[in-house]
Amino acid sequence: MTHVVITGTGLYTPTHAVDNAALVAAFNAWVDAENGQHSEAIARGEREPLAHSSSEFIEKASGIKSRYVLDASGILDPQRMRPRLPQRNNDEPSIQCEMATAAAHQALAAAQVDAVDIELVIVACSNLERAYPAVAVEVQQMLGTSGYGFDMNVACSSATFALETAANAIASGSVKRALVVSPEICSAHLNFRDRDSHFIFGDACTAVVLENSAVAVADEQFEILGTRLITKFSNAIRNNAGFLNRVTDSDPLALDKLFVQEGRRVFKEVCPMVAKLITDHLASLELSGSDLKRMWLHQANRHMNDLIARKVLGYDPGGSQAPIILDRYANTSSAGSIIAFHLHREQLVGGDIGVICSFGAGYSAGSVVVRRR
C-alpha cells in the first residue's frame, strides 16, 4: 500500500500589516464624506445615514485584530479603498506566481526535496488573476519542477480539495511528489466600503509538499490517513465577477462583483455541516473527536471555529488544540487552515492525530486527517 505523507510546508506573509484601528479610521472617514455629500437627502428621510465601524465591533464579531495585505496605502485611502497593485507586463512573473514560489521554496527546503523532483503542481485558491495560461504552469517554470501543473478553485476549500487531488495522484502511482500552493489575494475581492465585511480578509500564500512515503526523507512527516470532501450549492456566499460580465453588459464595478455573504445564514448552515463532515470522517477511520490532538480549522470567524470544535470534541477546546491565527492574519480563504497547520504543529509527537479542515463558498468543505510519524 502506498502511504502519502506531508513533508514540508511554507508560508509567504506580505510585509504590510493593517490593524483594526487603521482600517476603521479609513472606513469612518469615507462614511463621513458620504453622509456629508448626501446630508440633504438624509435630512429629508430619503436616505439612511451610513454607520461607523469600530475596532470593538470587528473583534467581537470575528476575533480579527489585524491582517496582512499586499498593499495598505490604497486600502487606507478613503477615496480609493482598494489595493493599489500596478499591472505587470506579460514578461514579468505574475503576483500570484511570486507569492507561490516564495512559499514553495520554504516547503521544499523543509521537505528536503529539489524542485525538479516535484511532478505535480496545483495552484488552489479562491481567485486567480487570469484565466490562462494556468498560474500553476508558470509556477512550475519558475521553480523548475517536472511533470505538469493546473489551477483549481473551490473558494475557501481550495487547499484541502487540492490536497486530496494530490494525495490521490500519489496513491495511484502517477506521481511520487506533489506541491500544493494557495496564493490568496483576498483584499482584491473585498468591498472595503461594506461595514459588515470590510474587515474580514487578508492576503497570504501557503505551500505544502506531499510525497510517497517510500521516497520521503524529511525529519518531520505527517501521514494522510484519509480525506473527505463535500459540496452543497448555496448563494449565501457569492462573487459574480467573471469573463461573461462584458457580454452580459453588467456593471464590472457593481457590488456583486466583489465578496458578498449572508453572515448569519452562513454561520447557521455551515457549522453543523462541517462538524458532521469531520465526525463522520473520523468514524470511517475508526476514530473519534477524543483522538484529535489538533484541529487546524479554516480561519474565517472565531465563533464558527469554537462551535465546530466543540461539536466534534464534545467540550470547549483549548487554544493549543484548535489554534487561531485569524487574529493576526484575518480570513485568508483557503490558506487559513494551512497557515494554522504550518505554525501550530511543533509540539506533536509520533502517533498524534489531527485534522486539517477548510470550508466556505459552494458550500464546500474538506477534511484531511493526518498522523505524525
Side-chain angles (χ1 to χ4, degrees):
M1 175 181 288
T2 299
H3 295 279
V4 182
V5 291
I6 293 172
T7 54
T9 59
L11 171 62
Y12 166 78
T13 300
T15 57
H16 295 241
V18 177
D19 63 16
N20 288 345
L23 195 69
V24 165
F27 177 84
N28 289 347
W30 173 77
V31 165
D32 290 341
E34 284 291 296
N35 287 341
Q37 182 179 350
H38 301 284
S39 58
E40 293 183 2
I42 292 172
R44 292 192 300 267
E46 298 171 358
R47 183 187 180 102
E48 289 293 323
L50 298 173
H52 278 181
S53 184
S54 71
S55 297
E56 295 76 19
F57 160 70
I58 293 172
E59 190 168 351
K60 182 178 179 181
S62 65
I64 296 169
K65 299 179 181 179
S66 186
R67 72 281 298 142
Y68 293 97
V69 294
L70 291 181
D71 173 71
S73 62
I75 293 170
L76 298 179
D77 179 353
Q79 296 184 350
R80 181 179 175 85
M81 299 187 77
R82 65 186 187 275
R84 186 177 285 105
L85 302 175
Q87 182 171 318
R88 300 183 177 189
N89 66 51
N90 291 346
D91 295 325
E92 295 179 285
S94 67
I95 298 172
Q96 288 184 308
C97 179
E98 281 194 346
M99 296 169 70
T101 52
H105 282 306
Q106 292 181 26
L108 291 168
Q112 301 176 48
V113 169
D114 293 329
V116 70
D117 293 323
I118 296 292
E119 300 167 282
L120 167 61
V121 176
I122 304 177
V123 167
C125 54
S126 58
N127 293 283
L128 292 158
E129 60 183 285
R130 61 173 183 266
Y132 45 80
V135 176
V137 180
E138 183 184 8
V139 172
Q140 177 190 19
Q141 175 169 306
M142 286 286 290
L143 289 174
T145 68
S146 58
Y148 63 103
F150 60 88
D151 298 342
M152 63 185 295
N153 178 348
V154 200
C156 293
S157 299
S158 296
T160 50
F161 274 59
L163 288 178
E164 183 190 73
T165 302
N168 287 344
I170 295 171
S172 71
S174 64
V175 303
K176 291 184 175 64
R177 298 180 179 89
L179 172 70
V180 172
V181 286
S182 299
E184 295 285 11
I185 310 178
C186 300
S187 62
H189 76 180
L190 180 56
N191 182 2
F192 285 97
R193 293 174 174 170
D194 176 25
R195 182 178 183 272
D196 291 334
S197 65
H198 76 109
F199 53 86
I200 291 179
F201 289 107
D203 303 330
C205 180
T206 54
V208 182
V209 173
L210 301 88
E211 300 184 73
N212 183 324
S213 62
V215 299
V217 298
D219 298 328
E220 181 187 57
Q221 300 181 18
F222 283 83
E223 181 181 354
I224 295 179
L225 300 181
T227 60
R228 182 169 290 194
L229 311 176
I230 187 173
T231 55
K232 179 181 178 182
F233 185 75
S234 172
N235 275 319
I237 310 172
R238 194 171 179 110
N239 182 326
N240 287 328
F243 81 103
L244 288 180
N245 294 158
R246 65 185 294 271
V247 296
T248 57
D249 297 328
S250 57
D251 180 1
L253 299 179
L255 297 183
D256 72 324
K257 305 305 187 292
L258 299 171
F259 169 81
V260 179
Q261 76 166 356
E262 300 175 46
R264 288 189 175 89
R265 179 182 165 195
V266 170
F267 189 96
K268 181 179 178 181
E269 294 176 349
V270 169
C271 289
M273 182 185 82
V274 173
K276 186 176 188 303
L277 170 69
I278 297 173
T279 300
D280 290 350
H281 189 198
L282 290 172
S284 73
L285 299 170
E286 299 183 350
L287 297 169
S288 67
S290 61
D291 294 306
L292 293 177
K293 297 293 185 182
R294 285 284 191 286
M295 296 183 71
W296 300 286
L297 298 176
H298 174 50
Q299 303 288 313
N301 182 286
R302 176 64 185 263
H303 306 299
M304 292 184 76
N305 283 20
D306 288 346
L307 178 57
I308 291 167
R310 186 161 58 247
K311 284 180 175 290
V312 173
L313 299 172
Y315 55 85
D316 290 325
S320 62
Q321 192 168 14
I324 295 293
I325 57 92
L326 66 84
D327 56 343
R328 291 179 292 143
Y329 280 84
N331 182 346
T332 52
S333 192
S334 69
S337 58
I338 308 301
I339 296 175
F341 177 69
H342 175 77
L343 296 177
H344 295 280
R345 66 175 192 259
E346 67 285 342
Q347 295 177 345
L348 298 184
V349 298
D352 282 349
I353 294 172
V355 60
I356 303 169
C357 183
S358 60
F359 41 88
Y363 296 128
S364 61
S367 171
V368 181
V369 177
V370 297
R371 178 172 60 205
R372 175 74 154 88
R373 286 191 146 197

